[in-house]
Amino acid sequence: MCGIVGYCGPRPATEILLEGLKRLEYRGYDSAGICVGDGVGAITTVKCKGKIRDLREIVPSDLAGNFGIGHTRWATHGEVNDANAHPHTDCSGNLAVVHNGIIENYTVLKKKLESEGHVFRSETDSEVLAHLISSFYSGDLETAVKQVAPLVKGTFGIICVHADEPGRIVGARNGSPLVLGIGNGEMFLASDVTAMMAYTRQVVYLEDGDIVVVDSESYRTSDVKDNNIEKKIESIDWELQEIEKGGFPTFMEKEIFEQPQSIERAMQGRLDRELATAHLGGLNLSSKQLLNIERVKIVAIGTSYHAAMVASYLFETVARIPCTAELASEVRYKNPVVEKDALHFVISQSGETADTLYAMRELQRKGATVLGICNVVGSTIPRESDGGVYIHSGPEIAVASTKAFTSQLVALYEFTLLMARMRHLSFEEGMLILENLESLPGLVAQVLASSDKIQKLAAKYCQATDFLFLGRGLNYPVALEGALKLKEISYIHAEGFSAAEIKHGPIALINEATPSIFLIPDDRLREKVISNMKEVKAREGKVIAVSVTGDDEVESIADDVVFVPRAHELLYPFLMVVPLQLFAYHCARLLNRNVDQPRNLAKSVTVE
Ligand code: AGP
């Protein structure tokens, strides 16, 4: 969602802010702006709806200054227009602020400020911050921010500047991410590290309640009562080339093709051949505590929820532990029951998804132990969870999640192996799973080799307006994931179902214009899915099957087939999802969609 960047230092701020905003484009946005201070008592704000390239066009070529703030907006309150873009300024134009989050009590605050003579120029909740801080300002921006923070209800990550305080930026965090980057004689503030990675690897992750003040040489973190807060300086372990396209036309294609490596990284140092088990360092649970777990509940949303659903099948089948997957957005408001013998997981690529974060906090409030499975190091969920696992996918820039999904699965498979080996699973059975996991990178690489074939299929089918995705067992959530991928980046309507469910309703949708994509691995449900496929064919439905090399029967029934290599039946979710990612990708490209930044979507959804 909204992206924030701030800079203080010897270099020209305009270029650094625009570059930083460019790096944040992946978060999804509809307008952008910057405010640059000249260091001798003036600040200039430039903003517009549209993309960073539109902003670049209106930024005056002589906009000079060595400190400033910038923002990419993803509209929540108020339409997408120039006035609603950030930075917002106070009436004098001397104070500018950018905000990520939602101010829930802005109507009350705005009314009061208007009655005091403040004139608002936008429909946003964020503008209230500029006027409110200004109303408390008496020569020290830091003090004003500290007075304002307790009055604001909602979530915020803000940074602000004042014309009378050249070379200084003040930031505050409550619920929306803010990171400080420490350079050599320069400082950065941003909503995520990608905006500053080109300049520094040293960062401080701010926490809720933190206020930060920076100039080019120093920073200070404190709370609203002005107590100093010591923060740990951490190193970014991502490489700059990981947030670049590396010769691929889009980030999504790059990330799909990275999966053999990202899967391997998610396994590194975690598989134990001597004991035929897995070790997950960050769980913070003793063997005794793990043995006392009688059920597992996994909470997530979107693609991460589909990974959770796969795990719910896996835990029950392999570890014989009852397991449920629940949508994070629903958990928070259902007054969830926390059972003493249950272990809770939340899964989130970004570690910032509001629905998942709030669900986690609600579960923790009720006494649950919640472990996180996340990708972004230092993000809020891993910081607030009781332990967990990083999946080490590397930065996932495309809005559509691909490599994070397969790495989340790896972590969940590892946990299953660990739990099963502590219970009934024999050494030999454990070893079989372990060796199969080790073979995954090679198998996924074989599937990726079908990309050209899948592109041809996409060309044949991408004019269809509706698709069904059908699978069973472990591959039912994969069907849901295939449908989600297709709709989010190609805008083609798609629904996923359990193949068995279609005759209870969805089969009414079948006609020759609605293709069905069937997932048919050679598992124990193969025959049943083939019957479902025949039911669709009997009603003139077109069928694309994702099946296993050499399955002539499927080939003879389906209109088109994509083959994946034969594998252990537990591995098929990995092998089946890759063709679906590629199918969605090629359809979207053929339809000329913005694959990496699909309309209306944001990479990390930090509002409910
Ligand atoms: C995935 O392609 C989607 N863009 C989206 O559903 C995403 O998975 C969801 O918003 C959850 O994100 P998270 O994993 O960062 O929590």
Side-chain angles (χ1 to χ4, degrees), residues 78-133:
E79 64 177 272
V80 178
N81 60 27
D82 296 352
N84 289 339
H86 299 217
H88 291 289
T89 53
D90 67 346
C91 296
S92 69
N94 285 334
L95 186 153
V97 59
V98 294
H99 166 231
N100 180 8
I102 289 186
I103 308 300
E104 284 162 10
N105 59 339
Y106 85 100
T107 344
V108 185
L109 295 170
K110 185 173 175 177
K111 230 182 223 160
K112 184 162 179 292
L113 288 158
E114 278 176 332
S115 73
E116 291 165 5
H118 289 261
V119 179
F120 282 70
R121 304 178 202 96
S122 78
E123 306 151 301
T124 64
D125 55 328
S126 308
E127 189 185 351
V128 85
L129 291 168
H131 295 277
L132 195 59
I133 298 170

Side-chain angles (χ1 to χ4, degrees), residues 301-304 348-350 353 399-401 484-485 488 605:
I301 201 132
T303 290
S304 299
S348 173
Q349 185 285 131
S350 62
T353 302
V399 162
S401 187
L484 175 64
K485 284 289 90 86
E488 73 175 326
V605 184

Side-chain angles (χ1 to χ4, degrees), residues 246-541:
F248 284 90
T250 62
F251 281 109
M252 183 176 177
E253 189 174 356
K254 176 183 175 234
E255 288 158 11
I256 291 173
F257 276 85
E258 272 173 4
Q259 287 177 106
Q261 294 80 42
S262 53
I263 287 173
E264 188 143 19
R265 275 201 303 276
M267 290 192 275
Q268 244 158 36
R270 289 180 173 160
L271 297 180
D272 178 342
R273 290 189 140 259
E274 212 166 297
L275 301 173
T277 187
H279 299 294
L280 293 163
L283 297 183
N284 298 340
L285 294 171
S286 65
S287 303
K288 197 159 172 223
Q289 285 170 311
L290 287 172
L291 275 167
N292 285 336
I293 291 163
E294 296 288 343
R295 65 202 75 247
V296 173
K297 294 187 175 185
I298 315 177
V299 174
I301 201 132
T303 290
S304 299
Y305 172 66
H306 296 148
M309 284 180 75
V310 173
S312 72
Y313 282 80
L314 195 71
F315 283 167
E316 299 221 359
T317 316
V318 179
R320 306 298 301 143
I321 300 171
C323 178
T324 51
E326 285 192 76
L327 279 173
S329 49
E330 299 303 316
V331 167
R332 181 183 183 194
Y333 294 104
K334 70 180 257 203
N335 194 10
V337 174
V338 169
E339 290 149 304
K340 292 249 171 313
D341 54 4
L343 179 64
H344 292 75
F345 276 100
V346 291
I347 309 179
S348 173
Q349 185 285 131
S350 62
E352 299 290 353
T353 302
D355 289 316
T356 312
L357 175 63
Y358 299 157
M360 177 177 89
R361 288 179 180 159
E362 179 65 15
L363 290 164
Q364 286 174 320
R365 245 191 304 277
K366 292 182 178 325
T369 299
V370 186
L371 304 182
I373 296 180
C374 295
N375 188 35
V376 179
V377 175
S379 56
T380 307
I381 290 176
R383 299 172 77 76
E384 291 192 16
S385 61
D386 301 295
V389 181
Y390 280 121
I391 57 174
H392 302 301
S393 297
E396 193 181 65
I397 305 289
V399 162
S401 187
T402 53
K403 62 176 180 173
F405 176 75
T406 44
S407 294
Q408 288 164 346
L409 288 184
V410 171
L412 291 160
Y413 275 61
E414 287 164 344
F415 183 70
T416 307
L417 177 60
L418 167 70
M419 294 292 270
R421 280 287 291 131
M422 293 178 90
R423 291 167 170 78
H424 62 278
L425 205 73
S426 70
F427 179 90
E428 288 71 23
E429 290 166 321
M431 202 53 155
L432 186 66
I433 294 179
L434 186 150
E435 284 179 344
N436 273 291
L437 280 175
E438 284 178 337
S439 71
L440 258 177
L443 293 170
V444 168
Q446 286 180 48
V447 180
L448 289 169
S450 315
S451 183
D452 288 348
K453 180 176 181 190
I454 294 169
Q455 186 181 31
K456 288 193 183 101
L457 281 183
K460 180 172 170 187
Y461 288 98
C462 71
Q463 297 305 330
T465 52
D466 306 277
F467 274 84
L468 299 186
F469 286 74
L470 304 153
R472 289 203 68 179
L474 283 169
N475 297 290
Y476 159 46
V478 177
L480 300 182
E481 175 61 7
L484 175 64
K485 284 289 90 86
L486 187 66
K487 60 189 146 194
E488 73 175 326
I489 58 165
S490 74
Y491 318 147
I492 299 172
H493 173 239
E495 299 292 337
F497 295 103
S498 157
E501 200 192 337
I502 51 168
K503 50 193 172 301
H504 300 285
I507 202 164
L509 298 169
I510 298 296
N511 59 30
E512 58 188 8
T514 306
S516 299
I517 300 192
F518 273 90
L519 306 182
I520 319 181
D522 61 338
D523 61 9
R524 62 204 130 119
L525 292 164
R526 175 180 167 276
E527 301 301 327
K528 296 197 184 297
V529 183
I530 289 178
S531 300
N532 300 140
M533 179 170 64
K534 286 180 178 163
E535 287 155 13
V536 168
K537 283 300 299 169
R539 287 158 184 84
E540 301 194 342

